Amino acid sequence: KAIIDLNALLYNVQVIRAKTAAKIYAVVKANAYGHGMSIASYLQHYVDGFCVASASEARELVGLAVYKPILILGEVGENNPILPYDNLVYTVGSLAEAKLFADKKDVSFYIKLNTGMNRLGCDGDAFRNIMNYVRQNSLNCKGVYTHFFQPENEMMMQKQFSLFEEQTCGIELFGGKLHCCASNVLNNDFCRHKDIVRVGLALYG
């Protein structure tokens, strides 16, 4: 059997808090990496939000009375429909996906920028088109994020971070939030943590 020590979990959150001034979003996808989604009910008193992979996982958190923001990392669409819960935040990776919010201006989302992982997110040209559409239609875009696909390769990560900064330059002027760091980037001094850090492995020890 596995025994989940909630005090150890809280200690890990405190260690992370000491490393960054950014908000902490706990990654609880895949049943909280096998620890059980129910830990989110406890964690929400100590973190600023949550990340999940899909809308179905977000629905599960809502069912556990989680009221903090829940970012769905999978891009909105057929597999991740827009659900009627106020604290859900979606991910947009294309102009077509942004247009799904044209008549849902009270629903919030982040734009996922591809800086090298090449799995999800938009490239520079598509990003600018999405941003133009967002501004022209006054959509509720919370900001932009990316994911470092090879954090153990510092040169590659620096390249991704520089691209992210270049593409998002000025976003903060419009109130947009930025995030790019997961657990394995917390100790990299060169990489500013931006507004949010998404922590999964670092939480579970």
Side-chain angles (χ1 to χ4, degrees):
K1 62 182 179 180
I3 299 174
I4 309 302
D5 186 340
L6 294 179
N7 288 327
L9 196 67
L10 176 55
Y11 173 77
N12 291 341
V13 173
Q14 292 170 337
V15 170
I16 295 165
R17 285 272 184 217
K19 289 179 176 290
T20 181
K23 290 186 175 182
I24 297 174
Y25 275 39
V27 182
V28 293
K29 62 182 180 178
N31 196 30
Y33 294 92
H35 293 75
M37 283 291 217
S38 60
I39 67 169
S41 299
Y42 174 79
L43 265 179
Q44 72 174 331
H45 302 295
Y46 306 101
V47 300
D48 303 293
F50 294 91
C51 296
V52 295
S54 64
S56 61
E57 290 180 340
R59 185 189 288 113
E60 189 175 349
L61 287 188
V62 172
L64 291 167
V66 170
Y67 58 85
K68 291 288 180 71
I70 303 168
L71 171 60
I72 301 170
L73 298 173
E75 293 176 359
V76 68
E78 184 177 347
N79 295 325
N80 291 307
I82 298 173
L83 301 175
Y85 305 120
D86 293 339
N87 60 326
L88 302 193
V89 186
Y90 296 85
T91 292
V92 161
S94 69
L95 182 58
E97 291 165 4
K99 289 181 176 180
L100 296 175
F101 296 87
D103 59 349
K104 296 179 174 63
K105 296 184 180 181
D106 57 330
V107 182
S108 58
F109 61 89
Y110 275 94
I111 299 171
K112 175 73 176 289
L113 182 64
N114 175 33
T115 55
M117 193 166 188
N118 300 324
R119 187 175 67 187
L120 295 173
C122 55
D123 61 18
D125 289 338
F127 173 65
R128 285 183 285 276
N129 289 335
I130 295 170
M131 285 303 303
N132 287 335
Y133 183 82
V134 165
R135 289 166 181 162
Q136 290 167 3
N137 294 275
S138 302
L139 302 186
N140 191 9
C141 178
K142 292 295 186 184
V144 188
Y145 76 95
T146 193
H147 186 70
F148 296 138
F149 74 98
Q150 204 174 13
E152 68 280 1
N153 184 331
E154 187 165 320
M155 184 177 296
M156 182 60 71
M157 191 166 59
Q158 286 184 353
K159 183 178 179 180
Q160 282 191 265
F161 185 70
S162 295
L163 178 60
F164 183 63
E165 287 214 305
E166 176 187 329
Q167 295 288 351
T168 59
C169 181
I171 293 294
E172 293 104 323
L173 299 177
F174 295 91
K177 304 297 183 184
L178 300 173
H179 51 105
C180 55
C181 294
S183 296
N184 44 17
V185 186
L186 286 174
N187 291 323
N188 286 82
D189 294 332
F190 84 89
C191 187
R192 297 197 304 279
H193 294 155
K194 298 296 186 181
D195 299 297
I196 298 170
V197 293
R198 309 182 302 267
V199 289
L201 296 179
L203 277 177
Y204 307 114

